[in-house]
Amino acid sequence: MEQIAFASSSPNTLGIELELQLIDPAGFDLAAAADELLAQLVNHPAAEFIKPEITRSMIELNSSVHTRPADLLAEMRGMRDALCEAADAVGVVVAGGGTHPFMRWQERDIFDAPRFQYLAEMYGYLARQFTVFGQHIHLGVPSGDAAIRMVHGLSPYVPHFIALSASSPYREGVDTLFSCARLNAVNSFPLAGHLPPEVHDWYGFEAHLGQLCESGLAESIKDLYWDIRPKPEFGTVEIRVCDTPLSVERACQLAAFAQTLAAWLRDQPTPPARAWLAYRSNHFQACRFGLHGRYVSADGQRLRLSDHLKALFATLMPLAQEMGTAPMLTELHDSVLCGAGNDARWLRAQFHRHRELPAVVQAMAQTFRGEQAAATPLRRRIRATSEPMAPMAPGVGWPQRLH
């Protein structure tokens, strides 16, 4: 069995990756402009932190390593401003959000890089459908064993991250009725899912990955499209379930929440084996209904996810005060749980205001730049016990082809 070196990192360090949309301001569809944008940024100090993604309508921002989320936010605002300035020069705009509301996957171009070309050849149309946009959060851990323990500890909270970050209700011109439709695309890959519950240490992880590789099922850790996975070359645990938020402020709030939760989990026992029993159901409920989904806790309680989140915020707040993350956790709590809700709800409010999806995309781009668009309340909430929402009738500004 081949050993996998794990680069040690200091606990409480963190970093993020944001996959972003490149938008044509003429009609607010996606624009295949990654090459031009990267060329525009080639001599910029931030160039090393801005990378291509699988299709040419995507770009990725990578932070450096931080201890304080406030410093992370300052860095991400600077990179956002540099990216938007370069986008203006190229003639495109940039937006967050987990999906583009009306893009057609058939029209996407694979970026010309060996890894992306391999994925296109291996997975066919799934590679182009993978034009979805996520935030990855990296948490520093000192060893491989600590990484596996952290993955186990964080796994019951996957629905919380999904619901807090959800920003992908629209896809291919229709309301999917999901708060987070992006993860349906991720789950199409054969090695999507989660760490096997029986893997409890780094040796067990090495053995599991070795079996996958010997069987021809994987070539490396990159082939594991898990919700949370170790990243040995960085010395981190990587949370991969978040939609890209509409603003860098929300992205850094989520990172602060993850950092505080990880610090709290270090003193908690490993979740019991029965915690995995409800994993897929909890995952679905968070994707489908967001904060109003049903949640089965590790000890078997059945309650609304938003109620479990409120209790979790209350538990974390004393530690957040010690760590200096309390201001960001308070902003996240107040805006999502006591205010306008998650970004998916905001996007639906924009559609009810404008009645056309290109205007929704325009509002997304304005929000990413820091020019918050006004929102109006939704007419009703979609809950886990609601009847299905009636399909939305096409209106002015809708794409002519929905599939």
Side-chain angles (χ1 to χ4, degrees), residues 43 96 98 129 205 306:
N43 294 319
Q129 281 203 331
F205 174 76
S306 59

Side-chain angles (χ1 to χ4, degrees), residues 10 26 50 60 135 145 152 185 312:
S10 299
I50 302 174
E60 181 179 281
Q135 172 182 357
D145 286 344
H152 275 278
L312 179 61

Side-chain angles (χ1 to χ4, degrees), residues 37-117:
L37 188 57
L38 290 168
Q40 182 70 26
L41 286 160
V42 69
N43 294 319
H44 195 280
E48 63 178 308
F49 300 106
I50 302 174
K51 300 179 180 179
E53 251 299 336
I54 187 166
T55 67
R56 296 178 59 236
S57 301
M58 310 172 70
I59 206 77
E60 181 179 281
L61 293 188
N62 297 268
S63 79
S64 55
V65 179
H66 293 275
T67 302
R68 299 176 64 251
D71 296 336
L72 172 66
L73 176 57
E75 180 184 50
M76 295 309 295
R77 281 173 169 164
M79 282 200 283
R80 174 200 62 192
D81 294 345
L83 182 64
C84 288
E85 182 180 352
D88 289 343
V90 171
V92 297
V93 294
V94 183
T99 57
H100 184 280
F102 62 87
M103 76 92 179
R104 300 183 73 245
W105 64 264
Q106 298 94 328
E107 297 171 356
R108 307 281 64 86
D109 296 327
I110 300 296
F111 192 88
D112 188 14
R115 171 69 180 173
F116 301 144
Q117 295 294 331

Side-chain angles (χ1 to χ4, degrees), residues 238-320:
E238 181 184 16
I239 302 170
R240 300 165 51 84
V241 293
C242 295
D243 282 355
T244 296
L246 298 178
S247 68
V248 295
E249 288 77 15
R250 177 63 57 80
C252 293
Q253 291 165 14
L254 290 166
F257 172 74
Q259 183 190 42
T260 310
L261 177 60
W264 177 73
L265 286 170
R266 291 189 191 101
D267 296 325
Q268 303 304 310
T270 301
R274 66 175 179 270
W276 295 98
L277 185 65
Y279 186 94
R280 292 307 306 170
S281 178
N282 286 340
H283 188 287
F284 168 79
Q285 286 281 324
C287 288
R288 173 64 175 85
F289 300 107
L291 297 164
H292 301 291
R294 294 172 180 156
Y295 180 72
V296 178
S297 65
D299 58 2
Q301 295 183 66
R302 297 180 62 217
L303 65 167
R304 184 177 293 176
L305 180 57
S306 59
D307 292 334
H308 197 268
L309 258 171
K310 289 175 183 177
L312 179 61
F313 270 98
T315 298
L316 295 179
M317 196 53 66
L319 179 58

Side-chain angles (χ1 to χ4, degrees), residues 163-291:
L164 287 170
S165 68
S167 61
S168 52
Y170 298 105
R171 192 161 191 204
E172 297 191 16
V174 297
D175 189 327
T176 65
L177 303 187
F178 278 69
S179 285
C180 171
R182 178 186 69 91
L183 286 175
N184 293 328
V186 179
N187 291 337
S188 299
F189 288 84
L191 294 180
H194 56 74
L195 174 79
E198 63 272 15
V199 173
H200 293 288
D201 54 26
W202 191 245
Y203 179 84
F205 174 76
E206 289 176 324
H208 175 70
L209 183 60
Q211 288 178 334
L212 292 175
C213 293
E214 289 169 9
S215 303
L217 300 173
E219 293 186 358
S220 71
I221 292 177
K222 289 184 178 181
D223 294 321
L224 304 179
Y225 287 83
W226 291 352
D227 296 335
I228 309 174
R229 73 182 182 190
K231 191 78 170 176
E233 65 269 35
F234 290 175
T236 64
V237 167
E238 181 184 16
I239 302 170
R240 300 165 51 84
V241 293
C242 295
D243 282 355
T244 296
L246 298 178
S247 68
V248 295
E249 288 77 15
R250 177 63 57 80
C252 293
Q253 291 165 14
L254 290 166
F257 172 74
Q259 183 190 42
T260 310
L261 177 60
W264 177 73
L265 286 170
R266 291 189 191 101
D267 296 325
Q268 303 304 310
T270 301
R274 66 175 179 270
W276 295 98
L277 185 65
Y279 186 94
R280 292 307 306 170
S281 178
N282 286 340
H283 188 287
F284 168 79
Q285 286 281 324
C287 288
R288 173 64 175 85
F289 300 107
L291 297 164

